[in-house]
Amino acid sequence: MHMSESLHNGSLCPVVSQTFNKDFGNEGFLLENGKTLPALEICYETYGKLNDTKDNVIWVCSPLTADAHVAGYYSTEDKKPGWWDALIGPGKAIDTDKFFVVCSNILGGCKGSTGPASINPRTGKPYGGSFPTITIGDMVHAQKELFDGLGCKGMFCVVGGSMGGFQAMKWAIYYPELVKRCIIIATSPRFSSQALGFEVVARDIITQDPNYNNGDYYDQPVKPDVGLANARKLAHITYLSAVGMEKKFKRAQDQENRNHAITYSTPFDLQLPLESYLRYQGAKFVDRFDANSYLHIAHATDCFDLETEYGSLENAFKDIKAEVLNVNLSTDWLFPPHESRRITSALIAAGKQVTSLEMDTQFGHDGFLIEVGELGKAVGRFLDSKIVESNGTQSIPVFHNEQDFELLGSMVSDGARVLDLGCGSGELIDYLHRTKNVSGMGIEKNLKDILGCLENDVPVIQRDLDERGISDIQSGSYDYAIINRTIQEIRDPVALLNEILRVAKRVIVTFPNFGHWSARGSLMLHGRMPKSKELPYEWYDTPNIRLLTVKDFYTLCEKEGLVIEKMAFQNEQALSKVLTAIGLKNFGAEHVVAVVSKKV
Amino acid sequence: MHMSESLHNGSLCPVVSQTFNKDFGNEGFLLENGKTLPALEICYETYGKLNDTKDNVIWVCSPLTADAHVAGYYSTEDKKPGWWDALIGPGKAIDTDKFFVVCSNILGGCKGSTGPASINPRTGKPYGGSFPTITIGDMVHAQKELFDGLGCKGMFCVVGGSMGGFQAMKWAIYYPELVKRCIIIATSPRFSSQALGFEVVARDIITQDPNYNNGDYYDQPVKPDVGLANARKLAHITYLSAVGMEKKFKRAQDQENRNHAITYSTPFDLQLPLESYLRYQGAKFVDRFDANSYLHIAHATDCFDLETEYGSLENAFKDIKAEVLNVNLSTDWLFPPHESRRITSALIAAGKQVTSLEMDTQFGHDGFLIEVGELGKAVGRFLDSKIVESNGTQSIPVFHNEQDFELLGSMVSDGARVLDLGCGSGELIDYLHRTKNVSGMGIEKNLKDILGCLENDVPVIQRDLDERGISDIQSGSYDYAIINRTIQEIRDPVALLNEILRVAKRVIVTFPNFGHWSARGSLMLHGRMPKSKELPYEWYDTPNIRLLTVKDFYTLCEKEGLVIEKMAFQNEQALSKVLTAIGLKNFGAEHVVAVVSKKV
């Protein structure tokens, strides 16, 4: 049921820009560098209603140059909704019918919150060059003032993309008791050296603009616009992907422009759409942003470095209580996937609950603002089901392999910690959670399955085991690892088995037995690669690139110093059952389930 | 035997900078935009001796900001050798004992060749803002004047990396009769949109410097140094790789600097080595380079676009006669591998002889100047053996599979065009070339094997068939394709077989027969995955991810509409031979050789 808020194009309308003011008197608002600000002004917007327990808060942290207007229209005449409107509103991923959503302009900004262009109450003049340097932590502390000012008591979830992710992580670190969930998107533990290099150049371009005047330019007729525009052009390229730019500006399609460009109206002008596009981005930015704000916020971003600040990433996260959803974007090279994955690894290592997602996009870093379809699904499911009131009848998911689950369940002890490699939509962990009270995490490579895991409330890491393995999981983190119908698809199953037995005390391996009488018969009598219920593929398209028999598995375990503690078989055919019963396992077993541990 | 040139640290010493002058009188040196230059001055260096036939020339085309000093020392006091000295000298990859090597400063430069800072003979003043825009083609035409002036008659090889690759391609296109070989490294058919975006920003940074004065700044006390330095900092980042920068500047290692940086001597200074490094690069560049030259050369690079100029890449290359070696660098994102590969694809499509190489490096685009070990080997082998006088005794390579080769050879007609997929070091093509006079090309994924191909003079494309297939090869380009002991390692063998039969009339497939009696016996009697001479791996580490029998192959061909024209078997064991002889092929065949074509 939607609340009584009005809508326009399916979005909230009207939404209202509000201002929070707090005077900190002589003491001042303390910054992390020890300096103070006499007062805080914070521009913000809220959507939805704060509930009675005042804890249905979703806090949106804005990226570098965005403002507090994240959702809805100011009026029906308003042409453009807030910058993440696709994600926030009644019935949307961040559902304003359920949640009280807040977004504020960051400290240091120029969109209504205290920043370098604000009047310093101590002098009556704009701060300009005297504005103190700020940190991401300062931004979060300022937001906490607003949080308290609004009467909020608990944070259902803090959400942030890009630099917003920096803030969201700091929220979870600074206020572990408040923050229940944390969604970070297209972010990293710090800027890469490459990204930082671009920052250095952009900063030099602005501060070396002859009109910069050490930041005291507010009374000048000409401001450091040339520098700011060029810095923005540069930054804008880093928000796009190479492949996205190629598609957008493919020169072959601009044949006409290009031929025109041969006339060279100015010596070096290429007269390509790419040039006018970048120049437009620069000019547009100068119209809406202040150079000092840009420098200060960029500097806070440059200095953000959880590893250096806390000694290690794992240490940075050691006290957080939030469950984390971490999303990276495939073509993002400003906050590249491998940097984002380090956050996931550290959270795993710190024993935190994390779900990680790898979104495929051609839009580069900007993808999180542009391509919100799958992202919305993930965010919605991560936020869902935990707050909806139960209607008393919990639906039991349909299992494709119910017998599998019973058998596997019988091998796992109550309350165990379980890692499921190749977990699909998380049905097995969900089943084990409900029947054996296990806590678990899955690893899965397909996005669709990951979304299923979110539906099933199973924490999951999106990962191709062939590519990245599990080396980031701490030794002894799990009682059991399960690799169900997956080992035969792995390029290097032996290395993976050994890795699994580093992170888990026991591994439950299941695989189709290529020594089964029907497989042998197919090859022996028909001279063909077998096809069966367990091996349903043709030789040329099977994902089972590793074929093995029960005997092969015994031999391998012997060689690797592994102990087979239990072995069970899943047989459907009568002959299989008979053969297995009389001890001819390698002939009889259709599907093998083995519990294996390291020889001690 | 080395010639009598003196050496210093194994490099040529002394080398001498020389100048070529040509006055073009009233007619002028015609530029591609129709304008003229009254005279050309070209600074150049040469190493080695021009032979009697004046065709042992290796022409080195310089990248954006390099000069003519590519090799050797000017004196024994000289600290730094030429910029590609590791590659050029007596006994080096570009062997100055064999070759006459020339490198010149490009037209538009500021290192001794005619450029914007040169005095315009028509006015007696520096060209400055009046210097006409130039093209890569103009640079090549100017170099051709030097080539003729030096009395050269033939070009054994033109070599260029980065923008030098642009020039080298233009040499091969403009002077097909002269240029016998062409080595292009870390280059592309044109700048990507992303790279062009950075160019646009860099250009705006320079031209908007208040001291730029439309290029007429030579008599000013202050030149557009700030803009030039910032443009260089930006460009410098694009020459490095993200991973290389991360290693170089890893902030965790700079703990001390970082703690120091907390004091903020200037508001936004991070006091990180990365900052001082970039600023040093900017300052150093301003000392050695002229802003106008930078703008003009960059502009020529920006406008270079073979596809637009010739309608298609394939068309651009249609008349070249040079054999091409095309090398890309794994972490180069300014001239990324996928752009370089388009050159290879177009050359293949145009029916040209090309060898392509994918060098693994962490140094990004700069890798071709820094990491010359493997590159040197490839260049050396590409240039080798063709010019050394034969001593009469040609060594016969040792074959591991000589019987294979004889059998395969018997299936290929004389003078056929052959594509060998998974060609190893090219021994088979070399064998077929020597025994059946075939012309061939190989595809191989391992660099070591590629270097072997260069040794064997077999053109080869470095490629993982699982990743990129052969879709860029034109239909009907080959009489035979051979996929020898490789099909069972391919993820999607059916799609590949169909692709192969698009580009070749017939495919010769060889594979180990999993239906062989010993494989069946191993599985049937011992219940284990078989190991044999043909299947020498364990189930968990075999590259043979696709196991098939003779019968499976028949069934597949039937299903895909393929005709098995011939089938032969390679058997070592007596029983195999007997079984095959009495018609029990699927039992008897150890290794299968089949000639397959499409049903017509």
Side-chain angles (χ1 to χ4, degrees):
Chain A
M1 282 284 289
H2 288 182
M3 290 188 174
S4 59
E5 283 173 305
S6 300
L7 291 180
H8 173 58
N9 294 339
S11 297
L12 294 167
C13 182
V15 298
V16 183
S17 174
Q18 300 178 76
T19 303
F20 168 82
N21 279 288
K22 185 165 177 182
D23 193 321
F24 289 83
N26 287 337
E27 204 179 327
F29 173 76
L30 186 64
L31 298 170
E32 293 190 329
N33 66 2
K35 297 188 177 167
T36 60
L37 288 169
L40 280 185
E41 178 164 351
I42 300 178
C43 176
Y44 70 99
E45 295 186 11
T46 73
Y47 323 103
K49 287 202 173 145
L50 193 58
N51 63 4
D52 294 343
T53 45
K54 300 183 186 304
D55 59 0
N56 66 333
V57 177
I58 305 242
W59 198 273
V60 182
C61 301
S62 96
L64 197 70
T65 64
D67 53 26
H69 182 42
V70 66
Y73 295 90
Y74 288 128
S75 74
T76 50
E77 282 74 54
D78 202 356
K79 291 273 186 298
K80 221 181 139 193
W83 54 265
W84 226 4
D85 183 75
L87 223 58
I88 303 168
K92 296 185 181 177
I94 298 177
D95 191 346
T96 51
D97 287 348
K98 292 178 188 167
F99 298 111
F100 179 62
V101 182
V102 186
C103 183
S104 64
N105 182 225
I106 49 180
L107 179 69
C110 52
K111 299 291 178 180
S113 292
T114 300
S118 303
I119 301 296
N120 181 351
R122 290 170 181 157
T123 64
K125 288 183 186 166
Y127 285 99
S130 74
F131 194 75
T133 56
I134 52 171
T135 63
I136 298 291
D138 293 329
M139 296 176 190
V140 169
H141 287 138
Q143 287 166 42
K144 176 64 166 44
E145 297 289 342
L146 173 62
F147 180 91
D148 293 339
L150 291 170
C152 302
K153 299 294 182 197
M155 181 90 90
F156 188 80
C157 187
V158 60
V159 188
S162 187
M163 192 193 74
F166 287 3
Q167 296 162 59
M169 287 189 280
K170 275 283 182 180
W171 262 106
I173 292 168
Y174 283 171
Y175 305 107
E177 302 300 332
L178 283 181
V179 181
K180 301 286 174 288
R181 277 166 205 80
C182 176
I183 300 177
I184 49 178
I185 303 161
T187 198
S188 48
R190 67 173 181 214
F191 262 143
S192 71
S193 294
Q194 186 184 63
L196 205 59
F198 288 122
E199 292 277 295
V200 170
V201 177
R203 189 203 319 142
D204 287 356
I205 292 172
I206 299 173
T207 56
Q208 292 176 9
D209 183 298
N211 295 308
Y212 174 63
N213 193 27
N214 290 320
D216 293 321
Y217 53 75
Y218 293 113
D219 55 358
Q220 289 172 191
V222 184
K223 299 181 174 53
D225 292 346
V226 170
L228 184 61
N230 282 330
R232 179 62 172 190
K233 289 177 212 166
L234 168 54
H236 192 83
I237 297 172
T238 68
Y239 303 153
L240 309 177
S241 75
V243 62
M245 287 189 78
E246 205 57 43
K247 285 204 167 189
K248 197 176 179 114
F249 300 111
K250 200 170 180 328
R251 285 198 278 182
Q253 296 166 347
D254 306 317
Q255 191 73 36
E256 212 175 319
N257 292 55
R258 184 160 183 85
N259 285 343
H260 181 59
I262 300 293
T263 61
Y264 299 122
S265 66
T266 63
F268 306 116
D269 232 9
L270 305 169
Q271 300 198 4
L272 291 175
L274 170 62
E275 281 174 313
S276 49
Y277 174 83
L278 287 175
R279 286 173 184 158
Y280 172 74
Q281 294 297 333
K284 203 174 64 168
F285 189 64
V286 165
D287 281 347
R288 73 175 178 90
F289 223 81
D290 174 44
N292 276 326
S293 274
Y294 189 80
L295 288 167
H296 275 277
I297 299 169
H299 180 253
T301 314
D302 297 348
C303 291
F304 183 81
D305 180 353
L306 290 179
E307 253 165 334
T308 303
E309 187 175 353
Y310 293 93
S312 75
L313 260 188
E314 189 185 330
N315 202 46
F317 296 133
K318 77 178 194 317
D319 294 327
I320 74 162
K321 302 217 163 139
E323 206 177 305
V324 178
L325 173 65
N326 183 21
V327 181
N328 68 53
L329 308 177
S330 59
T331 52
D332 187 347
W333 58 288
L334 190 63
F335 294 82
H338 64 87
E339 286 285 340
S340 165
R341 287 180 197 130
R342 297 203 300 125
I343 296 174
T344 298
S345 294
L347 286 165
I348 294 172
K352 305 301 169 181
Q353 198 158 314
V354 54
T355 285
S356 80
L357 220 75
E358 319 239 329
M359 311 277 311
D360 205 30
T361 178
Q362 295 204 326
F363 292 105
H365 183 61
D366 269 355
F368 80 98
L369 298 169
I370 298 170
E371 209 165 25
V372 293
E374 299 286 306
L375 178 63
K377 276 187 204 163
V379 168
R381 291 178 191 195
F382 184 72
L383 296 176
D384 211 354
S385 72
K386 314 273 176 75
I387 198 156
V388 287
E389 281 76 29
S390 171
N391 59 8
T393 58
Q394 191 173 18
S395 65
I396 305 287
V398 180
F399 297 134
H400 296 291
N401 305 302
E402 202 163 345
Q403 283 180 323
D404 273 31
F405 286 9
E406 275 174 32
L407 181 58
L408 291 169
S410 73
M411 294 177 166
V412 172
S413 50
D414 278 2
R417 296 164 301 160
V418 174
L419 177 69
D420 186 3
L421 299 104
C423 68
S425 297
E427 293 97 342
L428 174 60
I429 291 204
D430 182 51
Y431 171 86
L432 294 174
H433 177 68
R434 287 185 291 105
T435 58
K436 311 275 289 193
N437 195 31
V438 310
S439 62
M441 180 174 87
I443 295 182
E444 175 55 53
K445 64 178 168 186
N446 297 314
L447 180 62
K448 208 182 144 200
D449 284 327
I450 304 283
L451 293 174
C453 287
L454 283 164
E455 197 83 69
N456 289 323
D457 288 339
V458 170
V460 62
I461 308 300
Q462 190 172 5
R463 180 175 296 180
D464 184 335
L465 288 166
D466 272 342
E467 278 173 25
R468 293 189 297 113
I470 53 171
S471 60
D472 56 339
I473 303 184
Q474 274 196 321
S475 299
S477 299
Y478 293 94
D479 300 309
Y480 296 89
I482 300 176
I483 180 154
N484 187 24
R485 298 169 187 266
T486 300
I487 194 81
Q488 73 280 0
E489 300 180 9
I490 299 291
R491 269 267 168 196
D492 189 347
V494 177
L496 184 63
L497 272 181
N498 279 307
E499 264 292 276
I500 290 174
L501 283 170
R502 179 185 61 76
V503 307
K505 289 186 199 117
R506 290 179 175 78
V507 58
I508 305 178
V509 189
T510 88
F511 59 90
N513 173 30
F514 200 71
H516 183 251
W517 58 267
S518 71
R520 298 195 205 194
S522 172
L523 187 63
M524 189 67 203
L525 303 176
H526 306 296
R528 300 218 34 193
M529 290 301 283
K531 277 180 70 176
S532 65
K533 183 167 169 285
E534 286 294 336
L535 297 163
Y537 304 95
E538 294 288 348
W539 65 271
Y540 46 80
D541 66 4
T542 176
N544 303 321
I545 61 170
R546 301 285 171 218
L547 300 172
L548 71 160
T549 69
V550 174
K551 208 162 166 184
D552 287 324
F553 190 70
Y554 272 112
T555 311
L556 174 71
C557 289
E558 178 66 29
K559 177 175 160 284
E560 296 290 315
L562 309 180
V563 181
I564 301 178
E565 295 185 0
K566 271 184 218 172
M567 192 177 268
F569 308 100
Q570 288 167 299
N571 299 323
E572 290 203 343
Q573 289 153 300
L575 178 54
S576 302
K577 290 177 188 175
V578 171
L579 288 167
T580 311
I582 62 169
L584 295 174
K585 297 169 189 173
N586 200 21
F587 255 109
E590 293 169 15
H591 197 85
V592 182
V593 180
V595 182
V596 176
S597 61
K598 277 229 152 134
K599 213 171 267 175
V600 280
Chain B
M1 281 283 291
H2 287 184
M3 290 189 176
S4 58
E5 284 172 303
S6 298
L7 291 180
H8 174 58
N9 295 339
S11 298
L12 293 168
C13 183
V15 297
V16 183
S17 175
Q18 301 177 73
T19 304
F20 168 82
N21 279 289
K22 185 164 176 182
D23 193 321
F24 290 82
N26 287 338
E27 204 180 329
F29 172 76
L30 185 64
L31 300 171
E32 293 191 330
N33 66 1
K35 297 188 178 169
T36 62
L37 288 169
L40 280 183
E41 179 164 352
I42 299 178
C43 176
Y44 69 98
E45 296 186 10
T46 73
Y47 323 104
K49 287 202 174 145
L50 193 59
N51 63 4
D52 293 341
T53 45
K54 302 183 186 305
D55 59 0
N56 66 334
V57 177
I58 305 241
W59 198 272
V60 181
C61 301
S62 97
L64 198 70
T65 64
D67 54 26
H69 182 41
V70 66
Y73 295 90
Y74 289 128
S75 73
T76 50
E77 282 75 51
D78 201 357
K79 291 274 187 297
K80 220 179 138 194
W83 53 267
W84 228 4
D85 183 74
L87 224 57
I88 302 169
K92 295 184 182 177
I94 297 177
D95 191 345
T96 51
D97 286 348
K98 293 179 190 167
F99 298 111
F100 179 62
V101 182
V102 185
C103 183
S104 64
N105 182 225
I106 49 179
L107 179 69
C110 52
K111 298 292 179 179
S113 293
T114 301
S118 303
I119 301 297
N120 180 351
R122 289 171 183 157
T123 65
K125 288 181 186 169
Y127 285 100
S130 73
F131 194 75
T133 55
I134 52 171
T135 63
I136 299 291
D138 292 329
M139 296 176 189
V140 169
H141 286 140
Q143 287 166 41
K144 177 64 165 44
E145 297 288 342
L146 173 61
F147 180 91
D148 292 339
L150 291 169
C152 302
K153 300 293 181 193
M155 181 90 90
F156 188 79
C157 188
V158 60
V159 188
S162 188
M163 192 193 74
F166 287 3
Q167 296 162 59
M169 287 188 279
K170 275 283 183 181
W171 262 104
I173 292 168
Y174 284 171
Y175 305 108
E177 302 301 332
L178 282 180
V179 180
K180 301 284 174 288
R181 275 165 206 81
C182 176
I183 301 178
I184 50 179
I185 303 162
T187 198
S188 48
R190 67 172 181 215
F191 263 143
S192 71
S193 294
Q194 186 183 65
L196 204 58
F198 287 123
E199 292 277 295
V200 170
V201 177
R203 189 204 318 144
D204 287 355
I205 292 172
I206 299 173
T207 56
Q208 292 176 8
D209 184 298
N211 296 309
Y212 173 63
N213 194 28
N214 290 320
D216 292 320
Y217 53 76
Y218 293 114
D219 55 358
Q220 288 173 192
V222 184
K223 298 181 174 54
D225 292 347
V226 169
L228 184 61
N230 282 331
R232 179 62 172 188
K233 289 176 210 166
L234 167 54
H236 192 83
I237 296 171
T238 68
Y239 304 153
L240 310 176
S241 76
V243 62
M245 287 188 77
E246 205 57 42
K247 286 206 166 184
K248 194 173 181 121
F249 300 111
K250 199 169 181 330
R251 286 199 279 181
Q253 295 167 348
D254 307 318
Q255 191 72 36
E256 212 174 320
N257 292 55
R258 182 158 184 85
N259 285 342
H260 181 59
I262 299 293
T263 61
Y264 301 121
S265 67
T266 63
F268 307 114
D269 233 8
L270 306 169
Q271 301 199 4
L272 291 175
L274 169 61
E275 281 174 313
S276 50
Y277 174 82
L278 286 176
R279 286 173 185 158
Y280 172 74
Q281 293 298 334
K284 203 175 61 166
F285 189 65
V286 165
D287 282 346
R288 73 176 176 88
F289 223 80
D290 174 43
N292 275 327
S293 274
Y294 190 80
L295 289 168
H296 274 277
I297 299 169
H299 180 254
T301 315
D302 297 349
C303 292
F304 183 80
D305 180 353
L306 290 179
E307 254 165 332
T308 303
E309 187 175 353
Y310 293 92
S312 76
L313 261 187
E314 190 186 329
N315 201 46
F317 296 134
K318 77 180 194 318
D319 293 327
I320 74 163
K321 302 216 164 141
E323 205 176 305
V324 178
L325 174 64
N326 183 19
V327 181
N328 68 54
L329 308 177
S330 60
T331 53
D332 187 347
W333 58 289
L334 190 62
F335 294 81
H338 64 86
E339 287 285 341
S340 164
R341 287 179 197 131
R342 296 204 299 125
I343 296 173
T344 299
S345 294
L347 285 165
I348 293 171
K352 305 301 169 182
Q353 197 157 315
V354 53
T355 284
S356 81
L357 219 75
E358 318 239 330
M359 310 277 311
D360 205 29
T361 179
Q362 296 203 326
F363 291 105
H365 183 61
D366 269 355
F368 80 98
L369 297 170
I370 298 169
E371 209 164 25
V372 293
E374 298 287 305
L375 177 64
K377 274 186 206 164
V379 167
R381 290 179 193 194
F382 185 71
L383 296 177
D384 212 350
S385 72
K386 314 273 176 78
I387 197 155
V388 288
E389 280 75 30
S390 172
N391 59 10
T393 59
Q394 190 174 20
S395 67
I396 305 287
V398 180
F399 297 133
H400 296 292
N401 305 303
E402 201 163 345
Q403 284 180 322
D404 272 31
F405 286 9
E406 274 173 34
L407 182 57
L408 291 170
S410 74
M411 294 177 166
V412 172
S413 50
D414 278 1
R417 296 163 302 160
V418 174
L419 177 70
D420 186 2
L421 298 104
C423 68
S425 297
E427 293 96 342
L428 175 58
I429 291 205
D430 183 50
Y431 171 85
L432 294 175
H433 176 67
R434 286 186 291 104
T435 57
K436 310 276 287 194
N437 195 33
V438 310
S439 62
M441 181 174 87
I443 296 182
E444 175 55 53
K445 65 178 168 187
N446 297 315
L447 179 63
K448 208 181 143 200
D449 284 327
I450 303 284
L451 293 174
C453 287
L454 283 164
E455 197 82 72
N456 288 323
D457 288 337
V458 171
V460 61
I461 308 300
Q462 191 172 4
R463 177 174 298 181
D464 185 333
L465 288 166
D466 272 343
E467 279 174 24
R468 293 189 295 111
I470 51 170
S471 59
D472 56 340
I473 302 184
Q474 275 197 320
S475 299
S477 299
Y478 293 95
D479 299 309
Y480 296 89
I482 299 176
I483 179 152
N484 188 24
R485 298 168 186 269
T486 301
I487 194 82
Q488 73 281 359
E489 299 180 11
I490 299 291
R491 270 269 168 193
D492 189 347
V494 177
L496 184 63
L497 272 181
N498 279 307
E499 265 291 276
I500 290 174
L501 283 171
R502 180 184 61 75
V503 306
K505 289 187 200 120
R506 290 179 175 78
V507 58
I508 305 177
V509 189
T510 89
F511 60 90
N513 173 30
F514 201 69
H516 183 249
W517 58 267
S518 71
R520 299 194 203 194
S522 172
L523 188 63
M524 189 67 206
L525 305 176
H526 307 297
R528 299 216 38 192
M529 290 301 282
K531 277 179 70 176
S532 65
K533 181 168 171 283
E534 287 293 335
L535 298 162
Y537 304 95
E538 294 288 347
W539 65 270
Y540 47 78
D541 65 5
T542 177
N544 302 323
I545 60 171
R546 301 284 170 219
L547 300 172
L548 71 161
T549 69
V550 174
K551 208 161 165 185
D552 286 324
F553 190 70
Y554 272 112
T555 312
L556 174 72
C557 289
E558 177 67 27
K559 177 174 159 287
E560 297 291 316
L562 308 180
V563 182
I564 301 178
E565 296 186 0
K566 272 185 217 171
M567 192 177 267
F569 308 100
Q570 289 167 300
N571 298 322
E572 290 203 342
Q573 289 154 301
L575 179 53
S576 303
K577 290 177 189 173
V578 170
L579 288 168
T580 310
I582 62 169
L584 296 174
K585 297 169 187 172
N586 201 20
F587 256 108
E590 293 169 15
H591 197 85
V592 182
V593 180
V595 182
V596 177
S597 60
K598 277 230 154 135
K599 214 171 266 177
V600 279

